[in-house]
Short mmCIF file of all heavy atoms in Angstrom, two decimals:
data_model
loop_
_atom_site.label_atom_id
_atom_site.label_comp_id
_atom_site.label_asym_id
_atom_site.label_seq_id
_atom_site.Cartn_x
_atom_site.Cartn_y
_atom_site.Cartn_z
N ILE D 3 138.83 -40.68 75.78
CA ILE D 3 139.37 -39.37 75.42
C ILE D 3 138.59 -38.33 76.21
O ILE D 3 137.36 -38.26 76.11
CB ILE D 3 139.21 -39.12 73.90
CG1 ILE D 3 139.97 -40.19 73.12
CG2 ILE D 3 139.70 -37.72 73.54
CD1 ILE D 3 139.65 -40.22 71.64
N ALA D 4 139.30 -37.56 77.02
CA ALA D 4 138.67 -36.54 77.86
C ALA D 4 139.05 -35.16 77.35
O ALA D 4 140.17 -34.94 76.87
CB ALA D 4 139.12 -36.70 79.31
N TYR D 5 138.11 -34.22 77.42
CA TYR D 5 138.39 -32.85 77.01
C TYR D 5 137.48 -31.89 77.77
O TYR D 5 136.44 -32.27 78.30
CB TYR D 5 138.23 -32.67 75.49
CG TYR D 5 136.86 -33.02 74.94
CD1 TYR D 5 135.90 -32.04 74.76
CD2 TYR D 5 136.55 -34.32 74.60
CE1 TYR D 5 134.65 -32.35 74.25
CE2 TYR D 5 135.31 -34.65 74.08
CZ TYR D 5 134.36 -33.66 73.92
OH TYR D 5 133.12 -33.97 73.42
N ASN D 6 137.93 -30.64 77.85
CA ASN D 6 137.19 -29.58 78.54
C ASN D 6 136.89 -28.46 77.56
O ASN D 6 137.73 -28.08 76.76
CB ASN D 6 138.02 -29.00 79.69
CG ASN D 6 138.29 -30.03 80.76
OD1 ASN D 6 137.39 -30.69 81.22
ND2 ASN D 6 139.56 -30.16 81.13
N LEU D 7 135.70 -27.92 77.67
CA LEU D 7 135.30 -26.77 76.87
C LEU D 7 135.09 -25.57 77.79
O LEU D 7 134.24 -25.62 78.68
CB LEU D 7 133.99 -27.05 76.13
CG LEU D 7 134.01 -28.16 75.09
CD1 LEU D 7 132.60 -28.36 74.52
CD2 LEU D 7 134.97 -27.84 73.98
N PRO D 8 135.86 -24.49 77.61
CA PRO D 8 135.66 -23.31 78.45
C PRO D 8 134.37 -22.56 78.10
O PRO D 8 133.79 -21.90 78.96
CB PRO D 8 136.89 -22.45 78.18
CG PRO D 8 137.39 -22.91 76.85
CD PRO D 8 136.99 -24.35 76.71
N THR D 9 133.94 -22.68 76.86
CA THR D 9 132.69 -22.06 76.40
C THR D 9 131.99 -23.02 75.45
O THR D 9 132.59 -23.97 74.96
CB THR D 9 132.96 -20.73 75.66
OG1 THR D 9 133.76 -21.00 74.51
CG2 THR D 9 133.65 -19.71 76.54
N ALA D 10 130.73 -22.77 75.18
CA ALA D 10 129.98 -23.60 74.24
C ALA D 10 130.64 -23.52 72.86
O ALA D 10 131.14 -22.47 72.46
CB ALA D 10 128.54 -23.14 74.16
N ALA D 11 130.64 -24.66 72.16
CA ALA D 11 131.28 -24.70 70.84
C ALA D 11 130.76 -25.88 70.04
O ALA D 11 130.26 -26.86 70.60
CB ALA D 11 132.80 -24.81 70.98
N ASP D 12 130.90 -25.77 68.72
CA ASP D 12 130.67 -26.92 67.85
C ASP D 12 131.91 -27.81 67.97
O ASP D 12 133.03 -27.34 67.75
CB ASP D 12 130.49 -26.48 66.40
CG ASP D 12 129.18 -25.74 66.19
OD1 ASP D 12 128.18 -26.15 66.78
OD2 ASP D 12 129.18 -24.75 65.44
N VAL D 13 131.71 -29.06 68.34
CA VAL D 13 132.82 -29.98 68.60
C VAL D 13 132.80 -31.10 67.57
O VAL D 13 131.74 -31.68 67.30
CB VAL D 13 132.73 -30.56 70.02
CG1 VAL D 13 133.86 -31.56 70.26
CG2 VAL D 13 132.76 -29.46 71.06
N LYS D 14 133.97 -31.39 67.03
CA LYS D 14 134.13 -32.54 66.14
C LYS D 14 135.34 -33.32 66.63
O LYS D 14 136.42 -32.75 66.81
CB LYS D 14 134.34 -32.09 64.70
CG LYS D 14 134.35 -33.26 63.72
CD LYS D 14 134.41 -32.78 62.30
CE LYS D 14 133.03 -32.39 61.86
NZ LYS D 14 132.91 -32.22 60.40
N LEU D 15 135.14 -34.61 66.87
CA LEU D 15 136.21 -35.50 67.33
C LEU D 15 136.21 -36.70 66.40
O LEU D 15 135.24 -37.46 66.35
CB LEU D 15 135.98 -35.91 68.78
CG LEU D 15 136.96 -36.89 69.40
CD1 LEU D 15 138.38 -36.38 69.34
CD2 LEU D 15 136.57 -37.18 70.84
N GLU D 16 137.30 -36.85 65.63
CA GLU D 16 137.38 -37.90 64.64
C GLU D 16 138.68 -38.69 64.80
O GLU D 16 139.68 -38.15 65.27
CB GLU D 16 137.32 -37.32 63.22
CG GLU D 16 136.02 -36.60 62.94
CD GLU D 16 136.00 -35.87 61.62
OE1 GLU D 16 137.03 -35.26 61.26
OE2 GLU D 16 134.96 -35.91 60.96
N VAL D 17 138.64 -39.96 64.37
CA VAL D 17 139.81 -40.84 64.42
C VAL D 17 140.26 -41.12 62.99
O VAL D 17 139.43 -41.40 62.12
CB VAL D 17 139.47 -42.15 65.15
CG1 VAL D 17 140.70 -43.07 65.19
CG2 VAL D 17 138.97 -41.87 66.56
N TYR D 18 141.58 -41.04 62.77
CA TYR D 18 142.17 -41.26 61.45
C TYR D 18 143.24 -42.34 61.52
O TYR D 18 143.90 -42.51 62.57
CB TYR D 18 142.84 -39.97 60.95
CG TYR D 18 141.87 -38.85 60.73
CD1 TYR D 18 141.50 -38.00 61.78
CD2 TYR D 18 141.32 -38.62 59.48
CE1 TYR D 18 140.60 -36.97 61.58
CE2 TYR D 18 140.43 -37.59 59.27
CZ TYR D 18 140.07 -36.77 60.32
OH TYR D 18 139.17 -35.75 60.12
N ASN D 19 143.45 -43.05 60.40
CA ASN D 19 144.56 -44.00 60.35
C ASN D 19 145.83 -43.27 59.92
O ASN D 19 145.81 -42.06 59.67
CB ASN D 19 144.24 -45.20 59.44
CG ASN D 19 144.08 -44.82 57.98
OD1 ASN D 19 144.50 -43.76 57.53
ND2 ASN D 19 143.47 -45.71 57.22
N VAL D 20 146.95 -44.00 59.83
CA VAL D 20 148.23 -43.36 59.51
C VAL D 20 148.27 -42.81 58.08
O VAL D 20 149.12 -41.97 57.77
CB VAL D 20 149.43 -44.30 59.74
CG1 VAL D 20 149.60 -44.60 61.21
CG2 VAL D 20 149.31 -45.56 58.93
N LEU D 21 147.37 -43.26 57.21
CA LEU D 21 147.30 -42.74 55.85
C LEU D 21 146.45 -41.48 55.75
O LEU D 21 146.34 -40.87 54.70
CB LEU D 21 146.75 -43.81 54.91
CG LEU D 21 147.57 -45.10 54.82
CD1 LEU D 21 146.86 -46.11 53.94
CD2 LEU D 21 148.96 -44.81 54.30
N GLY D 22 145.82 -41.11 56.88
CA GLY D 22 144.99 -39.90 56.90
C GLY D 22 143.54 -40.13 56.57
O GLY D 22 142.78 -39.17 56.47
N ALA D 23 143.14 -41.39 56.40
CA ALA D 23 141.74 -41.71 56.12
C ALA D 23 140.93 -41.68 57.42
O ALA D 23 141.37 -42.21 58.44
CB ALA D 23 141.62 -43.08 55.47
N LYS D 24 139.76 -41.05 57.37
CA LYS D 24 138.91 -41.00 58.56
C LYS D 24 138.35 -42.39 58.84
O LYS D 24 137.79 -43.03 57.96
CB LYS D 24 137.77 -40.00 58.37
CG LYS D 24 136.92 -39.84 59.63
CD LYS D 24 135.87 -38.79 59.47
CE LYS D 24 134.81 -39.33 58.54
NZ LYS D 24 133.53 -38.65 58.64
N ILE D 25 138.49 -42.83 60.07
CA ILE D 25 138.04 -44.15 60.50
C ILE D 25 136.71 -44.06 61.25
O ILE D 25 135.81 -44.86 61.04
CB ILE D 25 139.10 -44.82 61.42
CG1 ILE D 25 140.41 -44.97 60.68
CG2 ILE D 25 138.61 -46.15 61.96
CD1 ILE D 25 140.35 -45.83 59.44
N ALA D 26 136.62 -43.09 62.15
CA ALA D 26 135.42 -42.98 62.98
C ALA D 26 135.19 -41.53 63.39
O ALA D 26 136.13 -40.77 63.61
CB ALA D 26 135.57 -43.85 64.23
N THR D 27 133.91 -41.17 63.50
CA THR D 27 133.50 -39.89 64.06
C THR D 27 132.90 -40.17 65.42
O THR D 27 131.91 -40.89 65.53
CB THR D 27 132.47 -39.19 63.15
OG1 THR D 27 133.06 -38.98 61.87
CG2 THR D 27 132.05 -37.86 63.74
N LEU D 28 133.52 -39.64 66.47
CA LEU D 28 133.07 -39.90 67.83
C LEU D 28 132.14 -38.81 68.34
O LEU D 28 131.23 -39.08 69.13
CB LEU D 28 134.27 -40.06 68.77
CG LEU D 28 135.30 -41.11 68.35
CD1 LEU D 28 136.44 -41.16 69.35
CD2 LEU D 28 134.65 -42.48 68.21
N VAL D 29 132.37 -37.56 67.93
CA VAL D 29 131.54 -36.43 68.34
C VAL D 29 131.40 -35.49 67.15
O VAL D 29 132.39 -35.22 66.47
CB VAL D 29 132.16 -35.65 69.53
CG1 VAL D 29 131.32 -34.45 69.91
CG2 VAL D 29 132.37 -36.55 70.74
N ASP D 30 130.19 -35.01 66.92
CA ASP D 30 129.96 -34.00 65.89
C ASP D 30 128.68 -33.25 66.26
O ASP D 30 127.61 -33.49 65.70
CB ASP D 30 129.84 -34.64 64.51
CG ASP D 30 129.79 -33.60 63.38
OD1 ASP D 30 129.98 -32.40 63.67
OD2 ASP D 30 129.55 -34.00 62.23
N LEU D 31 128.80 -32.35 67.24
CA LEU D 31 127.64 -31.60 67.71
C LEU D 31 128.06 -30.40 68.53
O LEU D 31 129.21 -30.25 68.89
CB LEU D 31 126.72 -32.51 68.54
CG LEU D 31 127.33 -33.31 69.71
CD1 LEU D 31 127.28 -32.54 70.99
CD2 LEU D 31 126.56 -34.60 69.86
N LYS D 32 127.09 -29.52 68.79
CA LYS D 32 127.33 -28.35 69.64
C LYS D 32 127.23 -28.80 71.09
O LYS D 32 126.28 -29.50 71.46
CB LYS D 32 126.33 -27.26 69.34
CG LYS D 32 126.62 -25.97 70.09
CD LYS D 32 125.77 -24.83 69.56
CE LYS D 32 126.13 -23.53 70.23
NZ LYS D 32 127.35 -22.94 69.70
N GLN D 33 128.23 -28.42 71.89
CA GLN D 33 128.24 -28.79 73.30
C GLN D 33 128.41 -27.54 74.15
O GLN D 33 129.06 -26.58 73.74
CB GLN D 33 129.36 -29.78 73.60
CG GLN D 33 129.14 -31.13 72.94
CD GLN D 33 130.23 -32.12 73.25
OE1 GLN D 33 131.41 -31.81 73.13
NE2 GLN D 33 129.84 -33.32 73.64
N THR D 34 127.84 -27.58 75.35
CA THR D 34 127.98 -26.48 76.30
C THR D 34 129.33 -26.58 77.00
O THR D 34 130.01 -27.60 76.92
CB THR D 34 126.85 -26.52 77.34
OG1 THR D 34 126.89 -27.78 78.03
CG2 THR D 34 125.49 -26.35 76.68
N ALA D 35 129.71 -25.52 77.70
CA ALA D 35 130.96 -25.52 78.45
C ALA D 35 130.93 -26.64 79.48
O ALA D 35 129.88 -26.96 80.05
CB ALA D 35 131.15 -24.17 79.14
N GLY D 36 132.08 -27.28 79.70
CA GLY D 36 132.16 -28.34 80.69
C GLY D 36 133.18 -29.38 80.32
O GLY D 36 133.93 -29.25 79.34
N SER D 37 133.22 -30.45 81.12
CA SER D 37 134.14 -31.57 80.91
C SER D 37 133.41 -32.72 80.26
O SER D 37 132.27 -33.03 80.63
CB SER D 37 134.72 -32.03 82.24
OG SER D 37 135.46 -30.98 82.83
N TYR D 38 134.07 -33.38 79.31
CA TYR D 38 133.47 -34.48 78.57
C TYR D 38 134.44 -35.64 78.46
O TYR D 38 135.66 -35.45 78.48
CB TYR D 38 133.08 -34.02 77.15
CG TYR D 38 132.02 -32.96 77.15
CD1 TYR D 38 132.34 -31.62 77.22
CD2 TYR D 38 130.67 -33.31 77.11
CE1 TYR D 38 131.36 -30.65 77.24
CE2 TYR D 38 129.68 -32.35 77.13
CZ TYR D 38 130.04 -31.01 77.19
OH TYR D 38 129.06 -30.06 77.21
N LYS D 39 133.88 -36.85 78.35
CA LYS D 39 134.66 -38.06 78.14
C LYS D 39 133.97 -38.87 77.06
O LYS D 39 132.75 -39.04 77.07
CB LYS D 39 134.73 -38.89 79.42
CG LYS D 39 135.47 -38.22 80.55
CD LYS D 39 135.45 -39.08 81.79
CE LYS D 39 136.14 -38.35 82.93
NZ LYS D 39 136.08 -39.11 84.18
N VAL D 40 134.77 -39.37 76.12
CA VAL D 40 134.26 -40.18 75.02
C VAL D 40 135.08 -41.46 74.96
O VAL D 40 136.31 -41.41 75.01
CB VAL D 40 134.39 -39.43 73.67
CG1 VAL D 40 133.92 -40.29 72.53
CG2 VAL D 40 133.63 -38.13 73.72
N ASN D 41 134.40 -42.61 74.88
CA ASN D 41 135.10 -43.88 74.73
C ASN D 41 135.15 -44.27 73.26
O ASN D 41 134.17 -44.12 72.55
CB ASN D 41 134.38 -44.98 75.52
CG ASN D 41 134.63 -44.86 77.00
OD1 ASN D 41 135.76 -44.72 77.44
ND2 ASN D 41 133.58 -44.90 77.78
N TRP D 42 136.31 -44.77 72.85
CA TRP D 42 136.43 -45.35 71.52
C TRP D 42 136.76 -46.83 71.68
O TRP D 42 137.71 -47.19 72.37
CB TRP D 42 137.50 -44.66 70.68
CG TRP D 42 137.58 -45.21 69.28
CD1 TRP D 42 136.53 -45.46 68.45
CD2 TRP D 42 138.75 -45.56 68.56
NE1 TRP D 42 136.97 -45.96 67.25
CE2 TRP D 42 138.34 -46.03 67.29
CE3 TRP D 42 140.10 -45.55 68.84
CZ2 TRP D 42 139.24 -46.47 66.33
CZ3 TRP D 42 141.00 -45.97 67.87
CH2 TRP D 42 140.56 -46.43 66.64
N ASN D 43 135.95 -47.67 71.05
CA ASN D 43 136.08 -49.12 71.20
C ASN D 43 136.82 -49.77 70.04
O ASN D 43 136.64 -50.96 69.80
CB ASN D 43 134.69 -49.74 71.35
CG ASN D 43 133.80 -49.46 70.16
OD1 ASN D 43 134.20 -48.78 69.22
ND2 ASN D 43 132.58 -49.96 70.19
N ALA D 44 137.64 -49.02 69.33
CA ALA D 44 138.44 -49.53 68.21
C ALA D 44 137.57 -50.09 67.08
O ALA D 44 137.93 -51.04 66.41
CB ALA D 44 139.45 -50.57 68.68
N MET D 45 136.41 -49.45 66.88
CA MET D 45 135.53 -49.81 65.77
C MET D 45 135.46 -48.62 64.82
O MET D 45 135.52 -47.47 65.24
CB MET D 45 134.12 -50.13 66.25
CG MET D 45 134.03 -51.30 67.20
SD MET D 45 134.10 -52.83 66.28
CE MET D 45 133.53 -53.96 67.51
N ASP D 46 135.28 -48.93 63.52
CA ASP D 46 135.11 -47.85 62.56
C ASP D 46 133.65 -47.39 62.52
O ASP D 46 132.82 -47.90 63.29
CB ASP D 46 135.63 -48.24 61.17
CG ASP D 46 134.81 -49.33 60.49
OD1 ASP D 46 133.70 -49.66 60.94
OD2 ASP D 46 135.30 -49.85 59.47
N ASP D 47 133.33 -46.45 61.65
CA ASP D 47 131.97 -45.92 61.56
C ASP D 47 130.94 -46.96 61.12
O ASP D 47 129.75 -46.75 61.26
CB ASP D 47 131.92 -44.72 60.59
CG ASP D 47 132.37 -43.42 61.25
OD1 ASP D 47 132.33 -43.32 62.49
OD2 ASP D 47 132.74 -42.49 60.50
N PHE D 48 131.40 -48.09 60.57
CA PHE D 48 130.50 -49.14 60.11
C PHE D 48 130.39 -50.29 61.11
O PHE D 48 129.81 -51.33 60.79
CB PHE D 48 130.97 -49.66 58.74
CG PHE D 48 131.04 -48.58 57.71
CD1 PHE D 48 132.26 -48.02 57.35
CD2 PHE D 48 129.89 -48.09 57.11
CE1 PHE D 48 132.33 -47.00 56.41
CE2 PHE D 48 129.95 -47.07 56.17
CZ PHE D 48 131.17 -46.54 55.82
#
């Protein structure tokens, strides 16, 4: 999953199932402006 931030921001990137339950948190932090890439390996938070 790739994304760009035009300015610094608190970023949260989470994965949910079709029932709306959170499966995994991939990003939860303040990031500076720039381009980012996050890999998800189909694993839950556990």
Side-chain angles (χ1 to χ4, degrees):
I3 300 168
Y5 58 94
N6 296 310
L7 296 176
T9 61
D12 291 321
V13 178
K14 187 174 279 194
L15 177 57
E16 298 173 320
V17 180
Y18 296 86
N19 66 17
V20 293
L21 300 175
K24 184 176 72 160
I25 301 299
T27 300
L28 306 179
V29 177
D30 188 7
L31 52 90
K32 186 169 184 77
Q33 293 181 310
T34 59
S37 298
Y38 296 89
K39 295 178 183 177
V40 177
N41 285 311
W42 183 46
N43 60 359
M45 298 281 195
D46 68 12
D47 278 339
F48 302 102

